Amino acid sequence: MVGGSHTQDSIATRALNLAPDSTGANNLSATVAIIDGYPVIKHPPGGPYPVIVPCQGLRLVVNGRERKEPTPVTVEDKVEILPVDERQEGYWRVKVSGNKLEVLLQMQPGVIRRRRLKDLPPAQVLQLETMEQESFYTPFTLEDLVRELKSQGIQYGIDWQACARLAEAPAEGTWTIARGQPALPGKDATVVLLFTTQDKVPVTIKEEEQNVNFRERFQFTSVEPGTVLARKHPVTKGQPGRAVTGEIILPPEPREIGLVALQGAILSENGLEVVAARAGRPVARKTKDRVIIEVIPALCHGGNVDLTSGNITFSGDVIIAGQVEEGMAIEAGGNVYVGDTISRAMVRAGGSIEVAGNVFVSVLAAGGTTAFQQRLSPLLARIADDLERLIAAIKQLLRHPSLKKDDLKGGIGPLVLLLMEKKFQDLASTVELLQKEAQRLPSIPLGAPEGLINDLEYLARSPLAIKRMGYLEAMLKKVTTWREDIGATPQVEADVTINYAVNSTIVATGNIKVVGDGCYHSRLQAGKSVTINGVFRGGELQAQGDIYIRELGSRSGTETRVVTRAGARVTAGHVFENTSIQIGPRLHSFNQEERGVSLWLDREGEIIKHYFTTPVL
């Protein structure tokens, strides 16, 4: 029987109804069929007998014994085929978000698989088959969910409608069943500057001024007394929120910023405005929590800078109407403007330098000495590395058992000499390069610790004379300190704009522009780009950016050198022989005169040379 609901007599009756009459009994085949969910068996007397093959999800029980292998059956056997239902438990979890503003319900519904025996036609070997029907159920009740919310302390922002719906309608997924109230942040205080932060702005040349030789002119930024320089917008407080657990969520404190007025400026009574108290150039400095405003006065000198006036040192801008004569110096914390010629003099400025006349045998340094110091940094790094390894090697040799202390009665000089000859040959040449760089600008302080360059020169020239390890260690400390000081110096982009220069040194942390006839036998060094409308003939030009020159070198073959970093481009309208251009590590020398050429490095680091016909400048 099947499922215990039919008797053996009824099964026999079904078999009799299916069997042929007695005249064909010997021809009766052995088969078994499933009809209306029950087995119907027939076979000749004495066999052969049909075979039932069980399957997963059904229990085949013959004469009270469960069979899991193919089993022959007869009409006398009690055959039961019992479907096996399967229940798969579901899963659910309530989770509070990290910021306590959401409660998430994760649910995997439970599954009930109900099976039914499939009707099958007669076969001698019958493979049983099932039909399945799945139904889903929620793994929790609404009461279970309420208890879980309470156990986790969730009490605010609960969506009870969503909770009830999910408890009744099983589905796989994640749902938000509670939401807190986020805190509303306030607004940080801000300061708006009401003046341009550029040191100078271009001045439009009027039609009647088209023949002026100084073609690129600028006007320094300045203000009059009473000008509002900055305005502060105070903080706006936020609003608190509430977590799903009921706690109050405080908004982050908005960032306060102080508005500070220094020399030449006044802070208003309510602390929200800074007003100029005198004429001058407005300057703003921003720190982490303050904006500092001041008005730097301008020193205006109506005549020449000569023995009568003396050298000029001023913390703000300096404006010279006349010349800067031989042997004189100008040092300014701000910008410098010279209306005439500079001859055999020195001008140093914390800001930009603009010279309307020509520059002869002079030194101009804009933006402090940062641009020049940065050039020294790689040399100092190499020297520090060599010194550190030299000291370590000496200490290792001193601990070696084969070393006789009597050999070093006069000091460690023999070890220093041996190591510098065998292992540290480059140290002396690097020191020599550093010394040459320092000698190029003798009038500009480089920030080197006292006596360091002389000590390094002494080491390179007379290593045998070194007596103590402490001397080398002190030297290494000075080199490291100098290099760190250079790295910590803030980079101020300051430009130099001149008309013409001869036998001069021009250094700028920003751009250098030569707008007149050009430069002869001079040294230029720029932290950014260099533009020369005329010629650059003799000397050396170094830059960190692109270089544009109308005419480079000379017909007489005067040695001229141009250097810039990898990634920059050098463009020249006319190049003479005995001129070299170095871009990054690659050097290109011109052996013949060429026109309209532009050079740069490709991705493989090789120099690309491109020719053009249209004017570049």
Side-chain angles (χ1 to χ4, degrees), residues 340-357:
D340 206 331
T341 301
I342 300 177
S343 180
R344 298 184 181 275
M346 184 189 70
V347 177
R348 291 211 315 251
S352 298
I353 298 174
E354 185 177 349
V355 184

Side-chain angles (χ1 to χ4, degrees), residues 263 278 281 283 295-299 312-319 330-337 348-352:
Q263 60 174 345
R278 66 184 176 195
R281 180 168 64 91
V283 176
V295 178
I296 297 177
L299 186 154
I312 292 179
T313 301
F314 190 63
S315 61
D317 294 343
V318 174
I319 300 174
I330 298 174
E331 293 198 29
N335 301 311
V336 172
Y337 173 82
R348 291 211 315 251
S352 298

Side-chain angles (χ1 to χ4, degrees), residues 198 200-204 217-219:
Q198 294 180 330
K200 56 185 180 179
V201 293
V203 175
T204 303
R217 302 183 306 166
F218 295 88
Q219 177 180 340

Side-chain angles (χ1 to χ4, degrees), residues 297-318:
L299 186 154
C300 298
H301 182 70
N304 296 337
V305 178
D306 51 22
L307 292 176
T308 303
S309 67
N311 293 333
I312 292 179
T313 301
F314 190 63
S315 61
D317 294 343
V318 174

Side-chain angles (χ1 to χ4, degrees), residues 136-336:
F136 299 92
Y137 67 94
T138 53
F140 62 90
T141 65
L142 183 58
E143 290 75 15
D144 295 333
L145 183 55
V146 171
R147 282 194 297 271
E148 181 64 21
L149 292 174
K150 185 177 180 181
S151 69
Q152 294 196 36
I154 299 165
Q155 55 182 278
Y156 178 79
I158 301 173
D159 187 346
W160 290 112
Q161 289 184 348
C163 293
R165 184 179 68 253
L166 293 169
E168 295 177 357
E172 181 180 357
T174 301
W175 293 268
T176 301
I177 59 173
R179 294 183 188 275
Q181 178 65 42
L184 183 64
K187 293 184 179 180
D188 296 341
T190 58
V191 172
V192 179
L193 299 180
L194 303 178
F195 59 90
T196 177
T197 55
Q198 294 180 330
D199 290 340
K200 56 185 180 179
V201 293
V203 175
T204 303
I205 299 176
K206 297 180 181 179
E207 213 173 285
E208 59 271 19
E209 297 178 313
Q210 291 299 314
N211 293 326
V212 174
N213 189 37
F214 196 68
R215 294 182 290 277
E216 293 189 29
R217 302 183 306 166
F218 295 88
Q219 177 180 340
F220 290 119
T221 302
S222 63
V223 294
E224 296 298 322
T227 303
V228 179
L229 303 176
R231 187 168 286 120
K232 174 182 174 180
H233 299 287
V235 298
T236 302
K237 294 291 185 181
Q239 296 179 2
R242 193 173 178 185
V244 293
T245 50
E247 300 106 316
I248 300 299
I249 301 176
L250 297 177
E253 282 294 325
R255 188 172 67 89
E256 181 61 87
I257 187 166
L259 187 56
V260 179
L262 295 184
Q263 60 174 345
I266 296 176
L267 184 65
S268 64
E269 289 293 330
N270 59 10
L272 300 180
E273 286 185 342
V274 172
V275 181
R278 66 184 176 195
R281 180 168 64 91
V283 176
R285 298 197 310 275
K286 295 182 179 180
T287 65
K288 183 179 180 181
D289 55 0
R290 294 194 304 169
V291 175
I292 303 168
I293 310 290
E294 61 182 323
V295 178
I296 297 177
L299 186 154
C300 298
H301 182 70
N304 296 337
V305 178
D306 51 22
L307 292 176
T308 303
S309 67
N311 293 333
I312 292 179
T313 301
F314 190 63
S315 61
D317 294 343
V318 174
I319 300 174
I320 306 298
Q323 303 178 9
V324 181
E325 297 187 359
E326 182 175 348
M328 307 309 295
I330 298 174
E331 293 198 29
N335 301 311
V336 172

